[in-house]
Amino acid sequence: MSAAPPVPRIAARAPAWSARSAPPRAPGMAALAMEGAPSLRLPGEHFAAALLFLCTGCIGLIWIAPELAAGLYLSPHVAGVTHCFTLGWLSMTIFGAMYQLLPVALGVSIRSERAGHVSFCAFAPGVALFASGVAFSSVMLRNSGITLIAIGVTCLIVNVALSLRRVADRDVIWSAIVIALSFLTVTFGIGAILSQNLHTGFLGDWRVTVLATHLHVALIGWVLVMIVGISHRLLPMFLLAHGADTRWTARALTLLTAGVLLLAPGILVGHSVRSSVVVWLGLLLIECGIFCFLRQAWLFFRARKRPRLDAGLRHAGTALIFLAATAALAPVVLALGPEYRRLDTAYVMLGLLGGLTLYVIGQFYKIVPFLAWMARFRNEMGKKRVPTVAELYSPLVAHIDLALFAIGSLGMVTGVVTGISPVVRIAAILVASAVALFVSQIARVALATSFRGIGSASVQPTITKASR
């Protein structure tokens, strides 16, 4: 790997996460394309693959609707489709965003772009093979996939860790990335155990508790912690929010981390989950952590200088409502226990689809069009009329896909809770339709800009009307 020099910071960051944080500056959308960012091909290939997995996952939801309605979350089909969302959509998007945002958030470029491409070339096909192997009970596909995933994840973690080591001012975002990557490692380890169990069955009845631990470490420790950390920089940037109290992010990270560290072993070793004080304490800390994150997001939204919210921010705001609903449902699920499998399925679906997936779609609407605009039109400013970022896609279609996705997610949860399979299938079709519209929007951005210049070096910071 060839070392890349540190890049200049473009905005003051909040101090160490354990200290009282000062409000971070909102440097504007141009910060997303600052000097030191990698070639757009690296995040671009991750985003493209993530969209393919999102589409595959949505088609899979229609396919497995009867199993979801029956609460059969242990079904191989359900597990395969779930990994299209968790590994293929969420993790792939986070990887791509992390490569682009490290210079913005921490002032350092990724240690090696080549290692980033190697990670992608192993991880993307690995996820496809693994999800297929799980869904169709193929040991060969599953083992091949998990081997490639291990290579991809290892390359990414080493690459990012070497980058993080060069950060002098280790703030709340740095801490979030370190914590999230640690939980990603744990997630992968537990996932490998569960994969081995699929053809040996050595876990026996313990499989359900190990699966519950795997899900919570993955969705809260890996995905949600990363979202909390990255949102600390992106939300004020997107909202043009100044002067908000930013200390709630550090509180959210502290509580979420402590909660997962208590909840995960509590579930694993507890003879009775319902009676485990450790599990309940872990859940309480996680609930408080989610409250702190929602409080931080609300403060950013309230401090925004632009009253009218665009489609991307409305996606994010709606996702936060779904996240709050998931947190409210969690104590009920824990109190009733694993016997209520349809409720357990609905709980995971609510958080995974309505919360995390919809939130990431909102970030897509903000990040991808702007990066594409910078790659295509930055050199044409002042020479001729160029479109604004907002003109690269249709706000009307974006709002329609938001409505379809929200209604579809609620419909799927309702159908699963009531056990009505046709309702789940129709709702899944609505979700798939929403995703089709969303992907068509991103394709429109790609066609409008032709992505000329994506393979070139990173673009320079330019504050223009592009961010309007």
PDB file of all heavy atoms in Angstrom, residues 213 217 259-270 276 278-279:
ATOM      1  N   THR A 213     -28.573 -12.628  19.006  1.00  0.00           N
ATOM      2  CA  THR A 213     -27.360 -11.874  19.314  1.00  0.00           C
ATOM      3  C   THR A 213     -26.726 -11.333  18.038  1.00  0.00           C
ATOM      4  O   THR A 213     -26.327 -10.157  17.964  1.00  0.00           O
ATOM      5  CB  THR A 213     -26.353 -12.788  20.041  1.00  0.00           C
ATOM      6  OG1 THR A 213     -26.982 -13.346  21.196  1.00  0.00           O
ATOM      7  CG2 THR A 213     -25.119 -12.011  20.457  1.00  0.00           C
ATOM      8  N   VAL A 217     -26.179  -7.292  17.326  1.00  0.00           N
ATOM      9  CA  VAL A 217     -24.813  -6.766  17.169  1.00  0.00           C
ATOM     10  C   VAL A 217     -24.657  -6.157  15.783  1.00  0.00           C
ATOM     11  O   VAL A 217     -24.039  -5.088  15.621  1.00  0.00           O
ATOM     12  CB  VAL A 217     -23.772  -7.887  17.401  1.00  0.00           C
ATOM     13  CG1 VAL A 217     -22.368  -7.379  17.062  1.00  0.00           C
ATOM     14  CG2 VAL A 217     -23.805  -8.359  18.842  1.00  0.00           C
ATOM     15  N   GLY A 259     -24.931  -0.727  25.795  1.00  0.00           N
ATOM     16  CA  GLY A 259     -26.119  -1.561  25.702  1.00  0.00           C
ATOM     17  C   GLY A 259     -25.878  -2.845  24.922  1.00  0.00           C
ATOM     18  O   GLY A 259     -26.285  -3.929  25.358  1.00  0.00           O
ATOM     19  N   VAL A 260     -25.195  -2.724  23.785  1.00  0.00           N
ATOM     20  CA  VAL A 260     -24.913  -3.929  22.998  1.00  0.00           C
ATOM     21  C   VAL A 260     -23.967  -4.858  23.757  1.00  0.00           C
ATOM     22  O   VAL A 260     -24.132  -6.092  23.737  1.00  0.00           O
ATOM     23  CB  VAL A 260     -24.304  -3.541  21.627  1.00  0.00           C
ATOM     24  CG1 VAL A 260     -23.876  -4.784  20.852  1.00  0.00           C
ATOM     25  CG2 VAL A 260     -25.316  -2.751  20.810  1.00  0.00           C
ATOM     26  N   LEU A 261     -22.985  -4.284  24.448  1.00  0.00           N
ATOM     27  CA  LEU A 261     -22.036  -5.108  25.205  1.00  0.00           C
ATOM     28  C   LEU A 261     -22.711  -5.870  26.349  1.00  0.00           C
ATOM     29  O   LEU A 261     -22.228  -6.921  26.768  1.00  0.00           O
ATOM     30  CB  LEU A 261     -20.905  -4.227  25.757  1.00  0.00           C
ATOM     31  CG  LEU A 261     -19.934  -3.674  24.708  1.00  0.00           C
ATOM     32  CD1 LEU A 261     -18.914  -2.742  25.368  1.00  0.00           C
ATOM     33  CD2 LEU A 261     -19.227  -4.810  23.984  1.00  0.00           C
ATOM     34  N   LEU A 262     -23.807  -5.345  26.868  1.00  0.00           N
ATOM     35  CA  LEU A 262     -24.559  -6.067  27.906  1.00  0.00           C
ATOM     36  C   LEU A 262     -25.591  -7.014  27.296  1.00  0.00           C
ATOM     37  O   LEU A 262     -25.743  -8.158  27.726  1.00  0.00           O
ATOM     38  CB  LEU A 262     -25.272  -5.058  28.820  1.00  0.00           C
ATOM     39  CG  LEU A 262     -24.407  -4.345  29.861  1.00  0.00           C
ATOM     40  CD1 LEU A 262     -25.242  -3.323  30.621  1.00  0.00           C
ATOM     41  CD2 LEU A 262     -23.805  -5.357  30.843  1.00  0.00           C
ATOM     42  N   LEU A 263     -26.294  -6.505  26.264  1.00  0.00           N
ATOM     43  CA  LEU A 263     -27.390  -7.295  25.685  1.00  0.00           C
ATOM     44  C   LEU A 263     -26.878  -8.580  25.030  1.00  0.00           C
ATOM     45  O   LEU A 263     -27.456  -9.660  25.228  1.00  0.00           O
ATOM     46  CB  LEU A 263     -28.133  -6.446  24.651  1.00  0.00           C
ATOM     47  CG  LEU A 263     -29.362  -7.102  24.021  1.00  0.00           C
ATOM     48  CD1 LEU A 263     -30.487  -7.206  25.029  1.00  0.00           C
ATOM     49  CD2 LEU A 263     -29.826  -6.314  22.795  1.00  0.00           C
ATOM     50  N   ALA A 264     -25.788  -8.467  24.247  1.00  0.00           N
ATOM     51  CA  ALA A 264     -25.321  -9.627  23.478  1.00  0.00           C
ATOM     52  C   ALA A 264     -24.917 -10.808  24.371  1.00  0.00           C
ATOM     53  O   ALA A 264     -25.457 -11.912  24.210  1.00  0.00           O
ATOM     54  CB  ALA A 264     -24.165  -9.208  22.569  1.00  0.00           C
ATOM     55  N   PRO A 265     -24.017 -10.623  25.333  1.00  0.00           N
ATOM     56  CA  PRO A 265     -23.693 -11.775  26.186  1.00  0.00           C
ATOM     57  C   PRO A 265     -24.845 -12.178  27.085  1.00  0.00           C
ATOM     58  O   PRO A 265     -24.975 -13.355  27.439  1.00  0.00           O
ATOM     59  CB  PRO A 265     -22.492 -11.281  26.997  1.00  0.00           C
ATOM     60  CG  PRO A 265     -22.566  -9.804  26.958  1.00  0.00           C
ATOM     61  CD  PRO A 265     -23.187  -9.459  25.636  1.00  0.00           C
ATOM     62  N   GLY A 266     -25.700 -11.206  27.438  1.00  0.00           N
ATOM     63  CA  GLY A 266     -26.854 -11.535  28.275  1.00  0.00           C
ATOM     64  C   GLY A 266     -27.779 -12.512  27.580  1.00  0.00           C
ATOM     65  O   GLY A 266     -28.296 -13.464  28.187  1.00  0.00           O
ATOM     66  N   ILE A 267     -28.009 -12.279  26.278  1.00  0.00           N
ATOM     67  CA  ILE A 267     -28.858 -13.197  25.514  1.00  0.00           C
ATOM     68  C   ILE A 267     -28.195 -14.561  25.389  1.00  0.00           C
ATOM     69  O   ILE A 267     -28.835 -15.609  25.532  1.00  0.00           O
ATOM     70  CB  ILE A 267     -29.145 -12.612  24.114  1.00  0.00           C
ATOM     71  CG1 ILE A 267     -30.006 -11.359  24.236  1.00  0.00           C
ATOM     72  CG2 ILE A 267     -29.828 -13.636  23.229  1.00  0.00           C
ATOM     73  CD1 ILE A 267     -30.256 -10.660  22.910  1.00  0.00           C
ATOM     74  N   LEU A 268     -26.875 -14.553  25.157  1.00  0.00           N
ATOM     75  CA  LEU A 268     -26.172 -15.813  24.920  1.00  0.00           C
ATOM     76  C   LEU A 268     -26.143 -16.722  26.142  1.00  0.00           C
ATOM     77  O   LEU A 268     -26.331 -17.934  26.039  1.00  0.00           O
ATOM     78  CB  LEU A 268     -24.738 -15.513  24.461  1.00  0.00           C
ATOM     79  CG  LEU A 268     -24.539 -15.132  22.998  1.00  0.00           C
ATOM     80  CD1 LEU A 268     -23.089 -14.785  22.733  1.00  0.00           C
ATOM     81  CD2 LEU A 268     -24.987 -16.267  22.088  1.00  0.00           C
ATOM     82  N   VAL A 269     -25.887 -16.138  27.308  1.00  0.00           N
ATOM     83  CA  VAL A 269     -25.677 -16.988  28.491  1.00  0.00           C
ATOM     84  C   VAL A 269     -26.923 -17.136  29.344  1.00  0.00           C
ATOM     85  O   VAL A 269     -26.968 -17.979  30.237  1.00  0.00           O
ATOM     86  CB  VAL A 269     -24.532 -16.431  29.370  1.00  0.00           C
ATOM     87  CG1 VAL A 269     -23.257 -16.299  28.562  1.00  0.00           C
ATOM     88  CG2 VAL A 269     -24.907 -15.081  29.980  1.00  0.00           C
ATOM     89  N   GLY A 270     -27.943 -16.289  29.108  1.00  0.00           N
ATOM     90  CA  GLY A 270     -29.124 -16.344  29.965  1.00  0.00           C
ATOM     91  C   GLY A 270     -29.943 -17.596  29.716  1.00  0.00           C
ATOM     92  O   GLY A 270     -30.245 -17.926  28.574  1.00  0.00           O
ATOM     93  N   SER A 276     -33.627 -12.236  32.661  1.00  0.00           N
ATOM     94  CA  SER A 276     -32.246 -11.802  32.759  1.00  0.00           C
ATOM     95  C   SER A 276     -32.172 -10.300  33.003  1.00  0.00           C
ATOM     96  O   SER A 276     -32.561  -9.500  32.162  1.00  0.00           O
ATOM     97  CB  SER A 276     -31.488 -12.158  31.484  1.00  0.00           C
ATOM     98  OG  SER A 276     -30.220 -11.572  31.510  1.00  0.00           O
ATOM     99  N   VAL A 278     -29.461  -8.603  33.151  1.00  0.00           N
ATOM    100  CA  VAL A 278     -28.444  -8.057  32.247  1.00  0.00           C
ATOM    101  C   VAL A 278     -29.050  -7.699  30.900  1.00  0.00           C
ATOM    102  O   VAL A 278     -28.772  -6.640  30.322  1.00  0.00           O
ATOM    103  CB  VAL A 278     -27.291  -9.070  32.073  1.00  0.00           C
ATOM    104  CG1 VAL A 278     -26.282  -8.571  31.039  1.00  0.00           C
ATOM    105  CG2 VAL A 278     -26.584  -9.304  33.405  1.00  0.00           C
ATOM    106  N   VAL A 279     -29.901  -8.569  30.405  1.00  0.00           N
ATOM    107  CA  VAL A 279     -30.527  -8.315  29.108  1.00  0.00           C
ATOM    108  C   VAL A 279     -31.408  -7.071  29.171  1.00  0.00           C
ATOM    109  O   VAL A 279     -31.376  -6.200  28.291  1.00  0.00           O
ATOM    110  CB  VAL A 279     -31.334  -9.541  28.659  1.00  0.00           C
ATOM    111  CG1 VAL A 279     -32.168  -9.217  27.427  1.00  0.00           C
ATOM    112  CG2 VAL A 279     -30.403 -10.707  28.354  1.00  0.00           C
TER     113      VAL A 279
END
